[in-house]
Amino acid sequence: MKHLLYILLFTLSFQTFSQETLDDVLAKYTTGSVPYISVEQLQKTMKTGEIIVLDAREKEEFAVSHLSNSIWVGFDSFSLEQTLQKFPDKNAEIVVYCSVGVRSEKIGEKLQKAGYTQVKNLYGGIFAWKNNNLPVYDRKGNKTEKIHAYSKKWGKWLETGEKKY
């Protein structure tokens, strides 16, 4: 009987998790401390204005694919000092992204604390970008369909492209 109860609880918790939306996940893992920018807004801004786009994923994720003209800053190895040196204008418009928007919020918070005034977090990250059929590029600068999906848990939010782990 106890065994049956564990199976039932596991099944229910799995179904609950699998029914979560991206909104639910971001509400659970982020605070909204860094304002979001949508894929559509970023796409327009990239075409019309000067903007700094920072990739807060790990180096191997960036190598598989990244947004055009984005600059890798990493997450575990993020260096605020190097970022301050590269981008001394604290009023520059900066968008940070990761897979879905969790790690990028953490990096955005660090930038805000350092005095950057126009930091935004890409809502849904590179997964949302690719899910909107927008191009991503590999380490050689070639368009690719491959996306580093981070993990099976997070990879479910990537609906288009070829998942790499």
Side-chain angles (χ1 to χ4, degrees), residues 26 29-38 54 93-97 100-114 116-124:
L26 290 174
Y29 292 103
T30 64
T31 64
S33 59
V34 179
Y36 285 116
I37 184 171
S38 70
L54 303 178
E93 192 171 351
I94 297 175
V95 173
V96 188
Y97 75 91
V100 297
V102 176
R103 292 177 286 174
S104 50
E105 180 181 72
K106 305 292 183 225
I107 298 301
E109 288 171 345
K110 291 179 181 185
L111 295 171
Q112 288 174 329
K113 285 179 186 170
Y116 288 91
T117 61
Q118 295 191 56
V119 180
K120 293 187 178 143
N121 184 8
L122 179 59
Y123 187 87

Side-chain angles (χ1 to χ4, degrees), residues 145-147 149 155-159 161-165:
E145 290 299 311
K146 297 175 184 172
I147 301 285
K156 73 179 189 175
W157 303 112
L158 179 63
E159 299 165 357
E162 181 184 338
K163 296 176 189 178
K164 293 291 178 185
Y165 295 98

Side-chain angles (χ1 to χ4, degrees), residues 11-59:
T11 304
L12 289 174
S13 65
F14 181 76
Q15 289 175 343
T16 301
F17 179 77
S18 64
Q19 292 175 0
E20 281 183 316
T21 66
L22 182 58
D23 289 339
D24 295 333
V25 169
L26 290 174
K28 183 176 181 179
Y29 292 103
T30 64
T31 64
S33 59
V34 179
Y36 285 116
I37 184 171
S38 70
V39 167
E40 295 79 13
Q41 291 170 317
L42 178 57
Q43 185 183 25
K44 287 177 189 172
T45 305
M46 289 173 82
K47 288 180 182 177
T48 62
E50 188 144 327
I51 187 168
I52 299 166
V53 180
L54 303 178
D55 189 314
R57 299 173 303 145
E58 296 307 317
K59 194 72 167 178

